[in-house]
Amino acid sequence: MARVRLSVLGITRSAIAVVDRNGFDGLSLTAVATDLEVGPSALYSHIEGLEGLRCLVATAATRNLTEAVRDAALGTAGAEALTSMGLAYRRFFLERPGQFATILRAPAKGDAELASANAALLSVFVLVFRAMGLDENEARLAARSTRSALHGFLVLEHHSGTHDAHDAEYRY
């Protein structure tokens, strides 16, 4: 068998694939190693165990959500931008529930990557509110409130069993 050359990026991509297939609870070193066709011990020279793997997935998932929300806002403004962003947030939740489960993970002490990814997601919302005329503090408060409301709504919707994965154009 050919020797597989591992990298943090390759491990992260594999972990995202595992999470998309099996959910966040299905993420394990063994699952990722199997996906990469290596032994679990081969991962340790690139990541800091399962906790390190979870952090990598949370960072990548947050960046993926940021990209989806940012892309939805492009070419729109005001309420239309917020609606488009909310729909993109929900679509991400429906299409990538395993990744979504990692989005509110708190960065570990010294985890600048996840902190940066979280800040980037918030900044998309801040920019929209700033364009609506709010000052920096008001925009940050509105952004945090909006993101919290969206996330909370989706979690409640999921746990109540009322969401419909085929209803991508659901209006709030």
Side-chain angles (χ1 to χ4, degrees):
M1 176 181 350
R3 190 175 164 122
V4 176
R5 184 153 178 93
L6 295 178
S7 67
V8 172
L9 180 60
I11 292 169
T12 303
R13 286 181 177 155
S14 177
I16 288 288
V18 167
V19 165
D20 282 343
R21 275 193 313 270
N22 306 330
F24 189 59
D25 291 339
L27 180 64
S28 69
L29 294 171
T30 301
V32 173
T34 299
D35 194 62
L36 293 169
E37 300 179 348
V38 298
S41 61
L43 303 177
Y44 282 97
S45 62
H46 301 280
I47 62 169
E48 296 180 22
L50 182 57
E51 190 57 30
L53 187 61
R54 288 178 176 155
C55 290
L56 289 172
V57 169
T59 301
T62 303
R63 287 183 176 144
N64 291 340
L65 176 59
T66 301
E67 182 179 330
V69 169
R70 183 186 58 238
D71 289 353
L74 289 176
T76 64
E80 182 183 352
L82 291 172
T83 298
S84 295
M85 291 164 61
L87 291 171
Y89 209 105
R90 184 170 188 268
R91 198 168 15 264
F92 186 90
F93 161 74
L94 293 172
E95 294 172 359
R96 301 174 182 171
Q99 288 186 56
F100 186 82
T102 72
I103 298 298
L104 290 183
R105 183 179 177 84
K109 185 177 181 181
D111 186 353
E113 292 294 316
L114 183 52
S116 174
N118 285 330
L121 177 56
L122 187 66
S123 74
V124 176
F125 287 92
V126 170
L127 288 171
V128 169
F129 284 111
R130 289 290 307 212
M132 294 171 74
L134 276 63
D135 70 31
E136 183 68 25
N137 289 335
E138 293 169 332
R140 287 199 168 285
L141 178 59
R144 284 191 173 108
S145 298
T146 301
R147 181 168 176 228
S148 295
L150 280 169
H151 201 94
F153 173 82
L154 293 171
V155 169
L156 289 171
E157 181 185 42
H158 173 72
H159 288 293
S160 70
T162 59
H163 73 283
D164 180 356
H166 302 289
D167 187 10
E169 294 304 311
Y170 181 82
R171 298 291 173 180
Y172 301 95

